Amino acid sequence: MHLNLFLSSLGHHEAAWRHPAANVEEIIDFAHLQGLAQKAERAKLDSLFLADRYATSRKAVKYGAVSGLEPLTLLSALSVVTERIGLIATVSTSFNEPFNVARRFASLDHLSQGRAGWNIITSGTDGEAQNFNLERIPDHHVRYERAQEFLDITLKLWDSWEADAIIHDKASGIYADNSKVHEINHKGKHFAVRGPLNLSRSPQGRPLLVQAGSSEDGKDFAAKYAEAIFTAQQSLSDAQSFYADVKARAARFGRSPEQVIILPGICPIIGASEAEAKEKEAQLHELTHPAYSLLQLSNRIGFDLSSYPLDGPLPELPATEKIAGHQSRTQLIRDLAEREHLTIRQLLLRLAGGRGHKTIAGTAQQVADELEQWFTQGAADGFNIMPQLTNGGLDDFLDQVVPELQHRGLFRTEYTGKTLRDHYGLDFPANSFANTHQYQ
């Protein structure tokens, strides 16, 4: 199986910063983040992943440790102090331009010698839009329409230099064969880009493409483009349905399903016994602040819950297709509340550890059992590991669960390749301009 570490300075539980084991000063401390990355590399994990949001609020910062470093900047620094582990950064197609994004990721791929990955998001909140000269976030289908054009351009820019374009013949004075460097001359609904990129083809051909949307638009987008998919599923059956659906969609787009790696998020807390693990989780829950939890949930589903009683049920939410923001996560939260008959207060605690990702509190063997079941029964190709508490919790996973998976023959004991594509067993991408040489 494949294991990606969703890197968080303090932990994925929303109250992790309040835990006695957490050092809040480490939230943007590079030495701390370097240490986490190197631990994950020593454990032979496939990759590191950094999420990103493009907004915060004065209300949120009162109770939540919401600041964080910009992903590409941080991963560029981490590329210098790691050697093999993949480096995946989140960048939105809604608030960037294709040329800039193509150049930044190609730069990271060169700097890391082929370990870069792009988690492609469309963003989903008005607060983010208002930081980029917009009043409201565009409708869901409009964001995905823009994202598709954005990605088509980016792929062409990465291909605009063929792998053997650079000659650097000092005697003749020729640096590059310009018949192998291509203008893309794109003119579409959202963008006009001439090209070529002002950076040669990167070691992986192009960075690994990652996507995390699970809406209908998101699944189609992922099936068409993504090479790894981060997803949130609460049950084995839901994960199996998602897995089968996306693999089938990929085949309909003419892609090999084996070239689409599906990684559900898992938020573990590990103890010497199940009771100890659940006690650790309960201690984190006791540190949550209902006002912050409610604000986070309201922002995530795009519906203000502040006027509803905490000990009452989740109110009826707008139909999924009418939600401008995060459709798939809203549906997951709605289904969870209905299936388990949760009050808003209970729902807040269920979401506190991983924002809708599956939480597991148990022994290392129990966590390994759960991962093995999902992996062997058609629910996952691996997992996006999200420790609820980083200090202590990450070590518990790397030092106890990873060796157990290795003992079962389910995870590597050594890296066998050097690039992120090697780790995930993905093909080297063909260049779309190859064999179309003409003077440009």
Side-chain angles (χ1 to χ4, degrees):
M1 66 177 67
H2 302 287
L3 297 177
N4 171 80
L5 174 61
F6 188 159
L7 188 62
S8 173
S9 298
L10 305 180
H12 286 274
H13 196 288
E14 65 185 42
W17 72 274
R18 297 185 65 195
H19 194 277
N23 181 354
V24 183
E25 294 180 355
E26 292 178 335
I27 192 169
I28 53 173
D29 178 72
F30 180 71
H32 171 64
L33 293 161
Q34 173 182 332
L36 299 178
Q38 291 172 337
K39 284 181 180 180
E41 186 170 63
R42 286 195 295 271
K44 315 304 179 188
L45 267 58
D46 294 71
S47 47
L48 304 172
F49 160 59
L50 290 172
D52 201 21
R53 295 289 295 274
Y54 289 79
T56 188
S57 70
R58 293 174 66 243
K59 289 182 179 179
V61 301
K62 183 174 182 179
Y63 300 116
V66 296
S67 63
L69 297 169
E70 191 279 319
L72 275 171
T73 306
L74 175 56
L75 291 180
S76 294
L78 290 176
S79 73
V80 181
V81 297
T82 56
E83 296 180 355
R84 304 293 281 277
I85 196 164
L87 306 167
I88 301 172
T90 297
V91 173
S92 175
T93 58
S94 296
F95 308 125
N96 287 284
E97 291 289 322
F99 191 93
N100 290 338
V101 169
R103 188 184 188 199
R104 290 167 189 157
F105 274 103
S107 296
L108 179 61
D109 208 44
H110 278 289
L111 289 171
S112 64
Q113 299 181 313
R115 295 185 285 135
W118 174 20
N119 179 44
I120 306 159
I121 64 168
T122 65
S123 301
T125 67
D126 293 341
E128 291 171 294
Q130 289 158 11
N131 285 333
F132 293 90
N133 205 36
L134 297 170
E135 187 59 33
R136 297 185 62 82
I137 194 75
D139 287 345
H140 195 271
H141 75 279
V142 173
R143 298 202 310 277
Y144 273 95
E145 176 188 81
R146 175 188 166 99
Q148 179 161 321
E149 185 178 345
F150 191 114
L151 187 53
D152 286 339
I153 296 166
T154 308
L155 292 172
K156 291 175 184 176
L157 287 170
W158 284 328
D159 282 353
S160 63
W161 289 67
E162 295 183 41
D164 58 349
I166 295 180
I167 298 172
H168 46 68
D169 185 337
K170 292 183 179 181
S172 67
I174 295 177
Y175 177 74
D177 180 350
N178 61 345
S179 71
K180 297 183 179 183
V181 180
H182 306 272
E183 294 180 1
I184 70 170
N185 294 313
H186 175 92
K187 291 185 179 180
K189 182 175 180 179
H190 299 279
F191 303 103
V193 180
R194 187 195 68 183
L197 196 64
N198 54 350
L199 183 61
S200 59
R201 190 163 173 83
S202 71
Q204 293 189 105
R206 63 173 186 242
L208 189 78
L209 300 179
V210 185
Q211 209 269 340
S214 297
S215 65
E216 288 302 306
D217 287 334
K219 286 188 286 188
D220 269 345
F221 187 83
K224 185 174 182 180
Y225 294 108
E227 295 162 300
I229 299 174
F230 296 150
T231 182
Q233 309 294 335
Q234 283 289 319
S235 68
L236 175 64
S237 60
D238 286 347
Q240 288 169 325
S241 295
F242 178 87
Y243 186 94
D245 184 8
V246 172
K247 297 275 187 173
R249 293 183 194 223
R252 289 198 292 271
F253 280 112
R255 301 181 63 200
S256 167
E258 288 73 28
Q259 293 289 299
V260 182
I261 307 300
I262 296 179
L263 306 169
I266 301 293
C267 307
I269 290 183
I270 298 158
S273 65
E274 183 177 359
E276 180 183 288
K278 291 188 179 301
E279 176 60 26
K280 287 183 178 181
E281 188 171 50
Q283 290 172 356
L284 277 169
H285 285 346
E286 289 172 2
L287 298 174
T288 60
H289 196 293
Y292 177 72
S293 302
L294 195 64
L295 176 64
Q296 293 293 92
L297 178 55
S298 295
N299 288 339
R300 185 158 294 278
I301 66 176
F303 187 89
D304 185 4
L305 295 169
S306 60
S307 63
Y308 293 87
L310 287 176
D311 294 312
L314 187 70
E316 185 173 346
L317 302 177
T320 301
E321 63 272 12
K322 294 183 179 180
I323 296 170
H326 303 284
Q327 289 186 356
S328 59
R329 192 59 58 86
T330 300
Q331 187 62 50
L332 181 151
I333 291 168
R334 189 202 325 252
D335 292 345
L336 176 63
E338 291 179 356
R339 182 173 61 248
E340 300 188 12
H341 308 290
L342 301 176
T343 66
I344 293 176
R345 189 187 304 277
Q346 292 168 330
L347 180 62
L348 295 178
L349 290 180
R350 284 297 306 276
L351 299 174
R355 304 175 299 283
H357 292 277
K358 183 174 178 60
T359 57
I360 305 176
T363 66
Q365 290 73 25
Q366 286 174 319
V367 173
D369 287 345
E370 188 100 18
L371 301 188
E372 181 174 10
Q373 183 185 35
W374 283 41
F375 177 65
T376 58
Q377 295 189 19
D381 296 309
F383 300 91
N384 198 14
I385 305 303
M386 306 166 58
Q388 295 190 45
L389 180 67
T390 297
N391 283 350
L394 177 58
D395 287 342
D396 288 343
F397 186 85
L398 298 180
D399 296 343
Q400 298 179 46
V401 178
V402 169
E404 179 65 24
L405 295 173
Q406 292 170 329
H407 176 72
R408 299 181 189 193
L410 295 170
F411 188 65
R412 70 170 67 85
T413 56
E414 292 293 340
Y415 290 114
T416 56
K418 295 183 178 180
T419 72
L420 181 52
R421 290 185 176 280
D422 290 337
H423 301 341
Y424 281 118
L426 297 171
D427 295 340
F428 190 90
N431 188 306
S432 59
F433 289 105
N435 302 318
T436 61
H437 301 157
Q438 53 185 329
Y439 187 86
Q440 296 197 28

